[in-house]
Amino acid sequence: MDAPDLRLLFWELTAACNLECGHCRRLDVSRTLMKDDLTTGEAKGLIEGIARAGKPILVFSGGEPLMRPDLFELVEHARGQGLQVSLATNGTLIDEALARQIVDAGIQRVAISIDGADATTHDDFRRQPGSLAAALAGFRRLRALGMSMQINCTVTKHNVHQVDDLYALALNEGADAMHVFMLVPVGCGVTIASTHMLPATEYERILGWLYQRAQEKKIHCRATCAPHYFRVIRQEARREGAQMPQYARHGMAAMTKGCLAGSAICFVSHKGQVFPCGYLPLEAGNVKKTPFDEIWRDSTLFHQLRDDTLLGGKCGRCEYRKVCMGCRARAFYETGDVMGEEPYCVYEPPMRETAHA
């Protein structure tokens, strides 16, 4: 069976990180490089397998990817394979020299995580004093050199009151995009779920707010780990009598549907484990044993996730299921069933599916 083209691959280059963020997908973050990180040779083999799976955008992530000494060698190899390369970083390590190196390497976009509009809010969440100032300094150095910049923001109870200020910050700093992440309870996120997870009604409000910001067209706004946003934008457009927004299907602004885990995106750990996304702890294979493109094509788990008819609960009968799918990671966390219903969605579909999605 032919596999769909892979559009985005997030690669945890190393689990090492200089911060200890409360929402991290990992519980075993280290301040030093991990002995079980893929070797440079293994990493290059992975890159070649990725290139055979549809020429996706390859996002070097972590941990903190800038802590890996062969990062730029791997970036060069990826570009040589015809891949677009992005970098997701906390930004705190980017001095003038490193900013120049990032730009000269041909990286197309850098995403820096900003989780509070003021130092207290961001630094407490990131568990390091001065981290906001350092992140913004790194952001500005890259922006000054012409890099396309993105701000990633995880919205929880700790900062939901600051969403307007965070949006203003993104505009003032000249970001090209703002991606709003909804917390997924995995790794360290499990430990803060009870205190930080927003209720479903509040998620719905934030998604409506994000839709309105997107309509301003001042910056590219996107919801991440919130697939029901694709229901919201359709409902809002109908309510306003507006034309359905036409999102690009390729490149950095691509927005095609909600949960793409295992169908257009996936995640590779620093050990070579292949997961549907970085928040769904179900392993589809390991690139140390099987070439990545074979895992992408043949994984039973991925085939399951690509079939919306297998969705359970209200997701299974929802008329928006093909454009949403619900968050498979949150469903798995709540129910133990990867195809169960999304627990943080307020929408109640009709008992019998209609066909206007």
Side-chain angles (χ1 to χ4, degrees):
M1 181 183 297
D2 292 336
D5 282 349
L6 178 62
R7 186 163 63 80
L8 275 169
L9 185 134
F10 299 89
W11 179 12
E12 178 189 52
L13 204 58
T14 179
C17 188
N18 60 316
L19 302 182
E20 297 177 354
C21 304
H23 64 305
C24 183
R25 63 172 296 277
R26 304 200 61 87
L27 288 170
D28 58 345
V29 175
S30 170
R31 295 275 180 165
T32 59
L33 293 174
M34 309 288 278
K35 292 181 179 180
D36 51 2
D37 288 346
L38 293 180
T39 66
T40 300
E42 290 170 334
K44 289 182 176 180
L46 166 61
I47 289 168
E48 291 159 11
I50 293 168
R52 294 192 296 268
K55 294 292 191 293
I57 297 170
L58 173 55
V59 182
F60 287 96
S61 183
E64 175 47 59
L66 292 171
M67 293 182 69
R68 181 146 172 164
D70 60 355
L71 168 63
F72 294 105
E73 181 180 350
L74 297 177
V75 169
E76 181 181 12
H77 191 67
R79 295 188 67 223
Q81 293 290 313
L83 299 175
Q84 299 180 67
V85 178
S86 295
L87 179 69
T89 171
N90 62 48
T92 62
L93 302 177
I94 301 173
D95 57 18
E96 296 287 353
L98 188 51
R100 171 53 65 184
Q101 193 174 9
I102 290 169
V103 171
D104 290 347
I107 291 171
Q108 292 186 279
R109 174 172 286 181
V110 176
I112 291 181
S113 298
I114 304 293
D115 293 316
D118 57 68
T120 298
T121 305
H122 175 92
D123 293 1
D124 285 354
F125 200 59
R126 293 270 158 181
R127 298 179 182 175
Q128 181 163 307
S131 57
L132 177 60
L136 289 175
F139 184 104
R140 291 163 185 161
R141 289 178 181 123
L142 286 166
R143 192 62 177 155
L145 294 173
M147 176 59 69
S148 174
M149 297 300 297
Q150 174 178 312
I151 284 179
N152 290 343
C153 178
T154 298
V155 176
T156 76
K157 289 180 180 179
H158 88 284
N159 64 0
V160 66
H161 61 289
Q162 294 184 335
V163 290
D164 287 317
D165 293 334
L166 285 161
Y167 177 66
L169 184 150
L171 293 178
N172 292 338
E173 295 294 337
D176 295 293
M178 179 179 179
H179 287 198
V180 174
F181 287 68
M182 299 304 184
L183 182 66
V184 180
V186 67
C188 293
V190 172
T191 66
I192 65 170
S194 62
T195 55
H196 284 66
M197 287 286 285
L198 295 172
T201 52
E202 189 71 347
Y203 276 129
E204 192 81 356
R205 183 184 73 81
I206 293 301
L207 295 177
W209 170 88
L210 188 64
Y211 171 81
Q212 294 301 326
R213 302 293 75 74
Q215 297 313 105
E216 294 174 3
K217 299 181 180 179
K218 296 178 181 178
I219 188 174
H220 178 250
C221 296
R222 179 175 179 173
T224 301
C225 300
H228 27 312
Y229 182 60
F230 288 80
R231 166 182 55 78
V232 169
I233 60 178
R234 284 162 173 78
Q235 291 176 314
E236 291 294 326
R238 290 193 185 97
R239 187 175 296 120
E240 296 172 357
Q243 185 177 1
M244 175 63 198
Q246 297 297 309
Y247 293 109
R249 290 188 175 271
H250 301 284
M252 299 296 177
M255 293 179 69
T256 54
K257 63 181 286 188
C259 184
L260 296 169
S263 62
I265 70 168
C266 73
F267 177 92
V268 179
S269 79
H270 72 110
K271 299 178 182 180
Q273 302 154 294
V274 180
F275 298 102
C277 76
Y279 303 102
L280 183 51
L282 295 176
E283 186 174 335
N286 191 305
V287 299
K288 291 183 178 182
K289 300 177 181 178
T290 309
F292 173 81
D293 52 312
E294 292 184 21
I295 297 172
W296 179 251
R297 183 187 65 230
D298 299 333
S299 164
T300 300
L301 174 62
F302 286 174
H303 282 290
Q304 181 183 16
L305 290 165
R306 293 165 188 167
D307 187 352
D308 63 80
T309 67
L310 299 178
L311 290 170
K314 66 180 183 181
C315 287
R317 69 174 190 272
C318 183
E319 69 271 32
Y320 294 101
R321 69 169 186 255
K322 291 184 182 297
V323 297
C324 173
M325 289 289 291
C327 176
R328 299 298 93 218
R330 279 195 290 268
F332 181 74
Y333 170 76
E334 290 282 345
T335 69
D337 178 5
V338 71
M339 302 305 286
E341 70 177 49
E342 158 72 64
Y344 288 89
C345 176
V346 300
Y347 181 67
E348 288 293 338
M351 291 307 295
R352 302 184 72 176
E353 181 184 337
T354 58
H356 66 267

